[in-house]
Each structure stands twice: as structure tokens, then as C-alpha cells.
Amino acid sequence: IPLHTAQDGLWMGSGVGPHAMCGGKGNGSWTSLMHVYALKPTLQFAMCSQVCGQVSSFNAQNCSMTAWAFSTLRHYDAALFEALLQQLAGQLPGGAEPRNISNSLWALARVGHPLGAYAEPLAAAARQLLPRMSQQELCNTVWALGVLGQLDRDTWQHFCACLGKLPGLTPESMHQAFHAQLMLHSQLAREAGVPLALMPAQQLPALPEPLHSHARHMWLASAVDVHISKLQADVSSALLLAGVPNSMEWLTDDGLFSIDIAFQVDGQPVAVEVDGSHHFTN
């Protein structure tokens, strides 16, 4: 199958067309994809095998589009994503467009594929391209770096400076930016070897005001806007039948997270996350 035919099929299946991707507008549309499962698993595996054999001829745009399509289709193949990552890293010396780095990092983060030996060059390329990124690309990139464990203080400050030069954030971007901030705080606490609750506030960089207050308010509102699935209720009922009292949608003390099921074992808190087959790809 020719490369353009395979990629067109992936874009059609994921609901993201190449023109949308090239224009940098495909990122925000994934939540409303109408045909996200249009490609049957057998066809996805076949196309994955076909694409794996052609990755060595990909440019940066081919890599980002392919990674985006497979991650949006929730199809994770470690060999494919490693090949795409390696090929993308090889394109960096010649320069890469911001959207290609942003899309690739988002896709790698979404499927949980580690950057490995390519972490430093990709993170460096992302930092260098931040001033040229759109609002959506900025937030996608910093969120992905947070998920992949590559977000540091300098990158965060650079991100905030770039963000401050752009017009008002969309709700989705604010949510992403605040999530990235939470991940950065957790990472800094791990590096310091202390619980996050004991980290001095002045050591935890935050979004600039009033953006931080708005983003925090939106996050807190989303934490209580929950839906209890049948699977979640079944797990809670099974625990009760086993003699384990528990609470569903238990809100953490800081109000930032709602735990699907919470209970205690020998006085120690236990959090249970109940996810269906399509909640995560890894």
C-alpha cells in the first residue's frame, strides 16, 4: 500500500483529515471525532504492519500525523511508536515545524510511550519552538512533557511567558495547562524527596494570574462534575459484599481529584480507579 494511501486511511478512520492536521487544527477535534472506531481492529493491525515498513522514509510531518492517527484510534504498538520516535528524532537537526513536535509529543504521551534516549533532544526542540506555537500547540506540548516526565521549571517559565502573549485561553487549553501545573508540582516534590503537601508554596511555580485562578476554578468544578458508571458501581458493590466499606467519588482534601472508590485497609487509605476498556490506551 502506498504511503499516502495508508495515511489517508488512518486520517479517515481517526476522523482527522490531513488538511486539518497541516493547519494545526486537528488537535482540538479529537473529543468530537465521529469515526474514531471506523477502522476495525484487524484493519488497524494490518495498517500498522504496513506503516512500520515505511517509517524509514517518513519526514517529520509524516511521523506526527501517523502517531496522531494511531493514538487517536487508541491503537498502541510499541514497535511502531518507537520507530516513529526514532525517525522523528533524526529529523530534528534539519529543523521541524512546531505542530509536528507538538502533535508527536501529544500522541506519545497519550499512549504512554517513553521517550527513552530521545527525551533530551525532543524536549530541547520543544522548548526552542514554544515561541512559535499556537495556543493549542503550547498547551498540548507542555501537557505532554508533563505526562512524559520532561517538564522542568525553565520550560514551565518559558511556557508561561509565551502563553501570556496570546489571547484568552479556551476552556480545554486552561484545563490542560492546569493539569500540566499539577504534574510539574508532583515531579518537583518527587525530586525533592518530600510529600507534595510539605512543599513550600514559593517553590511551586504556577500559571500567571488571573489565568491561574480561572484555571483552578474550572478544574475544581470538573472534579465534582462526575458520572458513576455501572462498572464502578458493580466494583463498589462487590467490595461491600466482601466486607469492605467504601465510598464512591471521594473528593481529596484539596478538592482537586475525585477518587472512583476509596476505603481503608489497616488504617491506610486506598484509592481505586475503575476504568473501562477504552479509558486508557496503555
Side-chain angles (χ1 to χ4, degrees):
I1 303 174
L3 170 61
H4 66 85
T5 303
Q7 288 196 325
D8 284 350
L10 287 170
W11 293 325
M12 289 173 64
S14 65
V16 180
H19 297 296
M21 287 291 295
C22 292
K25 298 178 181 178
N27 304 23
S29 64
W30 70 270
T31 53
S32 60
L33 296 178
M34 295 178 64
H35 307 295
V36 69
Y37 299 113
L39 297 182
K40 293 184 178 180
T42 51
L43 181 55
Q44 290 185 33
F45 280 107
M47 296 189 76
C48 177
S49 177
Q50 181 72 29
V51 171
C52 275
Q54 302 184 43
V55 170
S56 60
S57 65
F58 282 14
N59 58 27
Q61 188 178 48
N62 296 147
C63 291
S64 68
M65 289 180 172
T66 303
W68 184 274
F70 275 108
S71 65
T72 302
L73 287 166
R74 300 180 183 273
H75 183 99
Y76 177 60
D77 181 277
L80 170 63
F81 275 87
E82 185 64 22
L84 290 169
L85 175 59
Q86 181 178 357
Q87 184 68 9
L88 177 66
Q91 305 289 320
L92 296 180
E97 290 297 314
R99 64 176 175 269
N100 295 332
I101 297 298
S102 177
N103 290 342
S104 297
L105 286 173
W106 183 93
L108 290 163
R110 191 175 189 219
V111 298
H113 189 85
L115 297 183
Y118 307 107
E120 185 175 340
L122 270 175
R127 284 192 293 270
Q128 184 178 4
L129 291 170
L130 287 179
R132 295 174 51 197
M133 289 185 179
S134 67
Q135 175 192 122
Q136 191 174 46
E137 290 164 351
L138 272 172
C139 293
N140 277 353
T141 299
V142 76
W143 176 85
L145 290 174
V147 172
L148 295 167
Q150 300 301 315
L151 186 57
D152 55 30
R153 291 179 184 273
D154 291 340
T155 303
W156 178 259
Q157 292 175 356
H158 197 21
F159 162 72
C160 290
C162 294
L163 206 59
K165 299 176 182 179
L166 298 176
L169 288 185
T170 64
E172 293 81 4
S173 293
M174 273 199 278
H175 199 272
Q176 247 184 337
F178 192 78
H179 191 190
Q181 176 181 296
L182 294 177
M183 289 188 284
L184 174 61
H185 290 179
S186 294
Q187 182 171 319
L188 292 175
R190 287 194 298 271
E191 292 173 355
V194 299
L196 179 56
L198 299 182
M199 284 285 288
Q202 62 269 25
Q203 294 184 18
L204 298 174
L207 291 164
E209 292 292 355
L211 176 58
H212 178 263
S213 294
H214 292 323
R216 180 179 174 83
H217 175 76
M218 288 185 59
W219 184 276
L220 292 174
S222 69
V224 296
D225 183 18
V226 296
H227 169 73
I228 297 177
S229 68
K230 182 180 183 301
L231 176 60
Q232 181 180 347
D234 288 346
V235 173
S236 175
S237 297
L239 286 169
L240 289 172
L241 288 174
V244 182
N246 62 85
S247 299
M248 287 192 290
E249 297 304 335
W250 183 80
L251 201 63
T252 55
D253 293 341
D254 55 16
L256 293 174
F257 297 97
S258 181
I259 305 300
D260 283 355
I261 298 175
F263 56 90
Q264 291 195 347
V265 174
D266 297 330
Q268 297 298 315
V270 176
V272 177
E273 193 72 15
V274 182
D275 298 326
S277 58
H278 295 299
H279 194 93
F280 290 113
T281 57
N282 62 323

